[in-house]
């Protein structure tokens, strides 16, 4: 069905930010704009180019991928639904970055630009019980009688964007820097969809004919919509023809990021002196301000008011031979009194969030970074459709030099999962994993992900021009960094 195709598009083919290990690092280069546009100024290189970067992060408690890790063959892998009582969820966000670049215009300003394909997907259910003894709809309804009403919601969106970032130093007194930046993005909406099922209730009764426990559907509401361009994909046509048809009716849109970065410069001494040294810095940004507009497919529907006499056996019979969205719509129309075709446009808002990042230098090569990501889109209220980011809190110790880096990101995400990841940088190559379980456990592939980036930099640092910052004598330095002296 088209909705299934949309899920595939948003969880597989698109490869968002989340190059977690290098957040706060001076070696993030153009990738830093994806976490805070102000971070592209205080970088020790005149330019850098990232011709390719991919990242994917996903999590679910609704199923387990068994007998598979990144170090094993997928031949014996299987997907098994998880048992227990819980609010089930699935979340994913990924990107593919192409030809991203950062250029330092002068000592106090820089730009970054590039192309990115991004997508987000999330789905959550009301609290439900599932056991591996469930073989029919009646089995499922029986163990969830006390958890009514049932419901779920989800949204997915994929888009391409061309972005441009500009950042500048707005304060520099020789001891501290304040940088500010903005990113503007021109988006092409590739595909999007949403679903909401709510208020589903039913009553148990004993069937007079079969003398078996049955369940009578009493009420519920189901709304689902997806972008019309997905209907234009035809398996009988070439990829080129399908691509042209797919993009023909896709809307354009705009979005933005804004941020500031406050840096406490390190005292110049004889052992660790360089013009980009700092003791700590604090960065604050608001990311992904905006949304994407889509035109409803003619197959989008709003169904409500359940007909009388609709029981579990009837529902199973009507929906057991569904081959496409039209079959689903036809079957659904036979069990409800009201079935409306959704028309016009709908908007899916990007995962707008406040990101607070603090970076502390412990030694010349060793740092610790802490980051808090807080969702903002939900504050708009109402019935808006918005995407959700899985990030919440991360702490990353890192050791890095100009050529090498080792990182240990530890994250606690919005689904209350604790992940320990790792990454390394060798020359232009950055390779990272979100969750060590993907390597060493054969039952954790549903939670985690990885990232890879290739960043080319010049061989020499672009030093800050001598004399740009105030020259301090020994007494002034002592007062600045040791006020008690």
């Amino acid at each position: 069905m088209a909705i299934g195709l949309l899920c595939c598009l948003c969880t597989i083919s698109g490869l968002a930010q989340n190059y977690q290990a290098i957040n706060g690092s001076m070696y993030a280069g153009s990738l830093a704009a994806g976490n805070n546009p102000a971070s592209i100024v205080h970088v020790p290189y005149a330019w850098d180019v990232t011709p390719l970067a991919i990242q994917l992060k996903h999590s679910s408690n609704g199923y387990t991928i068994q007998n598979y890790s990144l170090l094993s063959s997928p031949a014996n892998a299987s997907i098994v639904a998880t048992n227990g009582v819980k609010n089930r969820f699935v979340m994913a966000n990924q990107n593919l970055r192409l030809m991203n670049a950062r250029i330092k215009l002068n000592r106090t300003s820089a730009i970054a630009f590039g192309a990115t394909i991004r997508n987000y997907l999330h789905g959550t259910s009301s609290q439900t019980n599932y056991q591996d003894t469930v073989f029919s709809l009646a089995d499922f309804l029986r163990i969830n009688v006390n958890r009514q009403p049932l419901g779920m919601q989800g949204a997915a969106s994929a888009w391409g964007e061309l972005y441009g970032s500009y950042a500048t130093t707005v304060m520099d007194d020789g001891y501290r820097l304040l940088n500010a930046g903005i990113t503007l993005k021109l988006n092409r909406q590739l595909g999007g969809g949403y679903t909401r099922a709510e208020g589903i209730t039913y009553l148990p009764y004993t069937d007079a004919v079969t003398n078996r426990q049955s369940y009578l559907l009493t009420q519920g509401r189901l709304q689902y919509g997806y972008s019309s361009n997905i209907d234009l994909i035809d398996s009988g046509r070439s990829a080129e023809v399908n691509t042209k048809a797919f993009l023909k009716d896709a809307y354009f849109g705009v979005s933005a990021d804004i941020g500031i970065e406050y840096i406490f410069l390190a005292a110049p001494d004889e052992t660790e002196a360089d013009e980009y040294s700092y003791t700590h810095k604090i960065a604050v940004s608001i990311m992904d301000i905006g949304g994407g507009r889509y035109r409803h497919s003619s197959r989008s529907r709003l169904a409500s008011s359940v007909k009388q006499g609709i029981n579990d056996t009837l529902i199973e019979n009507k929906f057991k031979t569904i081959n496409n969205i039209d079959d689903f719509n036809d079957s659904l129309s036979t069990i409800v009194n009201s079935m409306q075709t959704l028309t016009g446009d709908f908007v899916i808002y990007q995962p707008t969030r406040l990101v607070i990042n603090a970076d502390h230098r412990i030694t010349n090569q060793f740092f610790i970074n802490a980051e808090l990501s807080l969702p903002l889109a939900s504050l708009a209220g109402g019935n808006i459709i918005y995407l959700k980011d899985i990030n919440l809190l991360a702490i990353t110790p890192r050791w890095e030099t100009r050529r090498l880096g080792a990182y240990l990101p530890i994250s606690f995400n919005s689904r209350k999962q604790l992940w320990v990841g790792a990454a390394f940088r060798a020359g232009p190559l950055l390779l990272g994993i979100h969750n060590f379980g993907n390597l060493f456990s054969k039952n954790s592939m549903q939670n985690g992900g990885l990232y890879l980036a290739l960043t080319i930099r010049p061989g020499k640092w672009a030093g800050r021009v001598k004399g740009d910052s105030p020259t301090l004598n020994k007494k002034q330095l002592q007062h600045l960094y040791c006020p008690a002296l």
Side-chain angles (χ1 to χ4, degrees), residues 254-270:
V254 294
S255 57
D257 310 323
I258 57 174
I260 58 173
E261 184 179 56
Y262 194 69
I263 302 172
F264 296 83
L265 298 173
D269 56 51
E270 297 180 356

Side-chain angles (χ1 to χ4, degrees), residues 165-237:
S165 301
Y166 175 77
T168 186
T169 300
V170 296
M171 186 200 77
D172 179 358
D173 62 5
Y175 322 133
R176 293 152 297 187
L177 299 176
L178 178 61
N179 299 325
I182 185 171
T183 298
L184 298 178
K185 294 173 278 190
L186 176 64
N187 306 325
R188 186 76 177 270
Q189 308 307 135
L190 301 179
Y194 66 94
T195 182
R196 292 172 178 165
E198 53 193 7
I200 298 174
T201 59
Y202 55 92
L203 291 173
Y205 74 99
T206 301
D207 190 288
V209 177
T210 63
N211 199 34
R212 63 180 285 271
Q213 184 76 39
S214 295
Y215 300 89
L216 189 68
L217 186 63
T218 55
Q219 61 182 344
R221 185 179 186 273
L222 175 62
Q223 179 178 348
Y224 51 93
Y226 64 93
S227 54
S228 59
N229 59 341
I230 294 178
D231 289 336
L232 301 178
I233 298 176
D234 186 344
S235 59
R237 300 186 302 190

